[in-house]
Amino acid sequence: MHMLRIVEKFLRDHDIPPTKFGRIVAKDPRLVLDMRLGREVRTPMQRKIIAYIESVGE
């Protein structure tokens, strides 16, 4: 699974702005933008992203 695809689908499905998602998950409003520009997130951040998505009910 590609993490950016998962995040993009979540943002679309839940109508959440990317900056808000980044702030909630990583205290980094640029997280999604940086991922779109090629930033690879490490395993601990991937776990945080998945945990947040699952907590919202995805």
Side-chain angles (χ1 to χ4, degrees):
M1 287 189 291
H2 193 265
M3 190 56 54
L4 181 57
R5 258 190 241 146
I6 294 169
V7 171
E8 294 286 7
K9 181 179 182 326
F10 178 81
L11 295 176
R12 269 192 319 275
D13 292 350
H14 295 276
D15 197 29
I16 297 175
T19 53
K20 181 176 181 178
F21 179 86
R23 249 186 254 110
I24 291 168
V25 173
K27 297 183 178 119
D28 178 5
R30 291 186 47 94
L31 174 67
V32 177
L33 175 62
D34 289 347
M35 289 173 68
R36 289 173 179 166
L37 293 174
R39 174 179 172 182
E40 293 291 327
V41 293
R42 295 182 180 178
T43 303
M45 182 56 65
Q46 289 178 10
R47 288 186 185 127
K48 284 183 178 181
I49 291 169
I50 296 300
Y52 176 71
I53 288 172
E54 288 175 352
S55 75
V56 174
E58 184 59 26

